[in-house]
């Protein structure tokens, strides 16, 4: 059975969320509604509805007009097993000593690499995105410098690929993987056993550092945060407070043209750029305390 999608955009988070809430009450009802910040630095938001059949065009037009949004674009999507499709399309990714792969490529795992099995799922962070790859390369650089960590936090962990990489290279470290999305946390937890890391990474649902377990484990030697520019900037004071004096922070989910904004926000809290990695349009920043 085909699925129908209805997408629109507008420039304000509150109005986008209000439109998303109103869209849920449309008849026929959507099977799901999403509100997302568009990752192009524009500050605009996308509102999407997913329907089992054709949505009510008049209702959509009224909603977009009432909330000051662009006209909804409606499309019919073929009935496709997207997870299976993604599994077929994703090639293994190599980032220094790390090799990120799906089960369909198990036979191709090099014996001299740290293998991370991440299946396509309803969570971000398969390792195939330039931001995750950039974080793994930043971790590789720290390892080559002889740097080590005993406490690690992966904030906005998605599939927990970064937390698992840290747990692999530092077997004795305390590693926490947190995400605001409970589904992502379920996916992260499910990824541990296939990677022989059951019980090694503590997965939990939290907004930023707002969780008793995260607060108790702080300060951290290493903090990963592969999310988006706006939440990274908002988290800057908590990041600085939760980092050991000689610790490191690895940030990504940042478009190249957004990097200066993030750098300036963290500089206010005494954190400076130790390394800036660019992979296509994405930037990964490694930050350290300014002790000059």
């Amino acid at each position: 059975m085909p699925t129908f999608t209805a997408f629109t955009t507008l420039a304000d988070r509150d109005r986008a969320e209000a439109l998303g809430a109103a869209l849920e009450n449309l008849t026929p009802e959507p099977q799901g509604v999403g509100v997302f910040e568009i990752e192009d630095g524009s500050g605009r938001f996308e509102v999407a509805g997913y329907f089992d059949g054709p949505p009510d065009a008049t209702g959509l037009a009224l909603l977009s007009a009432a909330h000051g949004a662009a006209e909804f674009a409606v499309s019919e999507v073929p009935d496709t097993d997207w997870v299976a499709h993604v599994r077929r399309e994703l090639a293994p990714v190599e980032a220094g000593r790390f090799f990120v792969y799906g089960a369909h490529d198990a036979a191709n795992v090099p014996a001299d690499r740290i293998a991370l099995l991440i299946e396509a799922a309803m969570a971000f962070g398969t390792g195939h995105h330039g931001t995750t790859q950039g974080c793994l390369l930043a971790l590789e650089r720290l390892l080559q410098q002889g740097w080590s960590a005993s406490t690690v936090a992966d904030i906005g962990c998605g599939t927990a690929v970064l937390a698992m990489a840290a747990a692999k290279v530092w077997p004795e470290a305390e590693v926490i993987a947190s995400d605001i999305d409970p589904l992502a946390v379920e996916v992260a937890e499910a990824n541990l056993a296939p990677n022989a890391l059951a019980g090694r990474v503590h997965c939990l649902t939290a907004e930023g550092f707002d969780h008793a377990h995260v607060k108790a484990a702080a300060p951290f030697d290493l903090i990963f945060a592969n999310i988006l520019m706006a939440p990274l900037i908002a988290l800057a004071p908590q990041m600085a407070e939760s980092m050991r004096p000689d610790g490191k922070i690895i940030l990504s989910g940042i478009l190249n043209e957004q990097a200066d904004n993030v750098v300036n926000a963290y500089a206010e809290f005494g954190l400076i750029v130790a390394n800036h990695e660019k992979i296509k349009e994405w930037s990964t920043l490694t930050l350290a305390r300014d002790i000059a």
Side-chain angles (χ1 to χ4, degrees):
M1 180 179 180
T3 298
F4 288 79
T5 60
F7 289 89
T8 187
T9 61
L10 62 173
D12 179 81
R13 179 188 294 273
D14 291 339
R15 287 193 293 125
E17 292 178 347
L19 175 54
L23 186 58
E24 292 180 354
N25 296 320
L26 190 68
T27 302
E29 294 182 359
Q31 297 304 303
V33 171
V35 179
F36 313 97
E37 184 175 3
I38 300 172
E39 297 182 12
D40 61 359
S42 66
R44 295 186 65 80
F45 291 81
E46 182 176 78
V47 179
Y50 305 87
F51 300 82
D52 282 342
D56 177 15
T58 301
L60 290 175
L62 290 172
L63 285 175
S64 61
H67 291 82
E71 181 180 351
F72 276 94
V74 178
S75 302
E76 182 177 343
V77 181
D79 189 11
T80 302
D81 184 345
W82 289 108
V83 170
H85 175 75
V86 169
R87 283 174 177 159
R88 288 193 298 269
E89 294 298 319
L90 290 183
V93 168
E94 298 183 61
R97 72 195 67 195
F98 302 103
F99 187 88
V100 184
Y101 71 103
H104 58 289
D105 278 312
N108 300 319
V109 177
D112 61 344
R113 301 298 176 88
I114 295 175
L116 296 166
L117 171 59
I118 304 291
E119 287 288 30
M122 294 295 290
F124 294 106
T126 63
H128 297 79
H129 198 284
T131 60
T132 313
Q133 189 178 13
C135 289
L136 290 173
L137 288 172
L139 175 57
E140 172 70 20
R141 185 175 294 102
L142 292 177
L143 293 169
Q144 290 180 358
Q145 294 169 356
W147 195 83
S148 64
S150 59
T151 52
V152 179
D154 183 2
I155 305 297
C157 65
T159 57
V161 61
L162 301 176
M164 291 193 297
K168 287 278 190 180
V169 296
W170 298 308
E172 302 302 318
E174 179 179 5
V175 182
I176 293 174
S178 70
D179 202 288
I180 195 171
D181 182 0
L183 175 59
V185 176
E186 290 180 17
V187 171
E189 187 71 45
N191 279 329
L192 299 182
N195 285 281
L197 289 171
R200 280 284 297 111
V201 177
H202 190 107
C203 301
L204 50 87
T205 303
E207 183 174 354
F209 294 84
D210 189 16
H211 191 285
H213 190 94
V214 179
K215 292 177 180 178
F220 297 96
D221 294 310
L222 177 63
I223 302 172
F224 292 106
N226 180 13
I227 39 181
L228 294 170
M229 178 186 71
L232 286 177
I233 290 175
L235 283 170
Q238 295 180 61
M239 290 275 192
E241 182 181 355
S242 301
M243 167 190 169
R244 290 190 190 278
D246 57 348
K248 298 287 191 295
I249 297 175
I250 296 175
L251 305 178
S252 199
I254 308 162
L255 292 166
N256 292 332
E257 59 267 26
Q258 298 173 339
D260 286 346
N261 293 332
V262 177
V263 170
N264 293 336
Y266 280 77
E268 294 183 16
F269 299 93
L271 299 174
I272 59 173
V273 178
N275 189 74
H276 184 173
E277 182 89 41
K278 293 182 181 180
I279 299 179
K280 296 182 179 179
E281 71 268 32
W282 297 101
S283 282
T284 299
L285 302 172
T286 301
L287 304 181
R289 194 86 61 187
D290 185 359
I291 57 175

